[in-house]
């Protein structure tokens, strides 16, 4: 499932928007976080990781020396992390210990974790199938502010639609909740 040219452009635009957000960290070494929703199969996660790494490396020189924090979002209160290199991810590695865990997760708890432990990241990408929800709207808003919503982008994969020739990816920025399975509500 390689990204279509339009999807690549949308991801690049989301990355540009996050990198140039007012108040975003402007230090010398770029630090970013790539969050994998463990609802995806290992193959889907590896393929998405390879495609994203290739896309970021082709984007600009800024990703040549990036510190990439890889995060596994396994469930509420169960988040694993590690540091990998972008070239390692591009070659299909870096996802050791990944395991597919089905079930709905609470997005506000992920946002709380990211706010506490990934505050230095200038860019945070979430690769998900959208199988999550927000139970506490106020906590979600509180965790996304004052800065997380500016540097957060969700890449939602639709693997079941891939064979039908439908669009297989959607990209969402910040406070939008359209990337979640329940798209009827928004913040």
């Amino acid at each position: 499932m390689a990204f279509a040219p339009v999807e690549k452009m949308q991801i690049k635009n989301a990355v540009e928007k996050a990198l140039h957000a007012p108040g975003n960290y402007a230090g010398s070494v770029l630090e970013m976080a790539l969050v994998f929703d463990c609802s995806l199969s290992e193959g889907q996660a590896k393929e998405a990781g390879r495609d994203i790494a290739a896309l970021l490396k082709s984007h600009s020189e800024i990703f040549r020396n990036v510190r990439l924090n890889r995060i596994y979002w396994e469930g509420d209160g169960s988040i694993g992390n590690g540091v990998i290199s972008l070239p390692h991810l591009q070659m299909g590695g870096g996802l050791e210990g990944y395991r597919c865990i089905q079930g709905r997760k609470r997005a506000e708890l992920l946002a709380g974790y990211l706010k506490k432990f990934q505050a230095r990241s200038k860019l945070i990408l979430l690769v998900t199938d959208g199988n999550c929800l927000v139970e506490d709207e106020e906590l979600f808003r509180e965790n996304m502010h004052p800065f997380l919503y500016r540097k957060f982008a969700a890449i939602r994969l639709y693997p079941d639609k891939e064979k039908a020739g439908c669009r297989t990816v959607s990209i969402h920025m910040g406070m939008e909740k359209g990337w979640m399975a329940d798209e009827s509500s928004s913040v």
Side-chain angles (χ1 to χ4, degrees):
M1 178 214 73
F3 296 128
V6 170
E7 295 164 348
K8 287 180 182 179
M9 183 183 67
Q10 289 176 328
I11 294 170
K12 284 184 178 182
N13 288 343
V15 168
E16 277 297 311
K17 187 175 179 181
L19 291 178
H20 297 94
N24 206 343
Y25 174 73
S28 58
V29 177
L30 175 65
E31 187 168 335
M32 68 174 282
L34 184 57
V35 181
F36 289 96
D37 182 348
C38 290
S39 293
L40 299 169
S41 72
E42 185 176 357
Q44 292 165 340
K46 279 188 177 184
E47 192 171 357
R50 271 195 309 267
D51 292 346
I52 289 168
L55 181 65
L56 292 176
K57 287 191 69 157
S58 71
H59 177 267
S60 70
E61 287 286 315
I62 198 165
F63 292 101
R64 177 177 284 185
N65 190 24
V66 66
R67 175 187 166 97
L68 179 60
N69 298 301
R70 181 220 52 225
I71 300 164
Y72 295 147
W73 185 23
E74 297 173 342
D76 296 346
S78 180
I79 297 176
N81 59 21
V83 178
I84 60 173
S85 69
L86 204 54
H88 191 210
L89 184 64
Q90 188 177 4
M91 293 186 299
L95 295 182
E96 293 77 21
Y98 184 91
R99 56 192 176 130
C100 182
I101 301 171
Q102 294 298 321
R104 289 196 100 171
K105 302 165 186 77
R106 292 179 54 201
E108 67 269 24
L109 299 179
L110 173 66
Y113 171 84
L114 294 172
K115 185 175 181 177
K116 286 180 188 171
F117 299 107
Q118 298 300 323
R120 287 182 42 183
S121 294
K122 192 168 183 173
L123 172 65
I124 300 171
L125 294 175
L126 168 65
V127 181
T128 183
D129 65 353
N131 193 16
C132 55
L133 67 139
V134 173
E135 287 183 4
D136 187 342
E137 296 275 341
E138 187 60 37
L139 182 61
F140 183 68
R141 277 193 201 94
E142 182 182 314
N143 286 335
M144 292 298 278
H145 277 20
F147 55 84
L148 190 61
Y149 74 97
R150 293 184 187 151
K151 52 176 107 178
F152 180 84
I155 301 170
R156 182 172 179 192
L157 306 178
Y158 298 92
D160 52 329
K161 294 183 180 180
E162 188 173 331
K163 294 182 179 112
C166 299
R167 186 168 181 194
T168 57
V169 176
S170 62
I171 294 86
H172 303 275
M173 285 295 298
M175 291 297 286
E176 297 177 14
K177 286 179 17 185
W179 52 272
M180 295 179 202
D182 179 19
E183 296 182 12
S184 60
S185 62
S186 63
V187 175

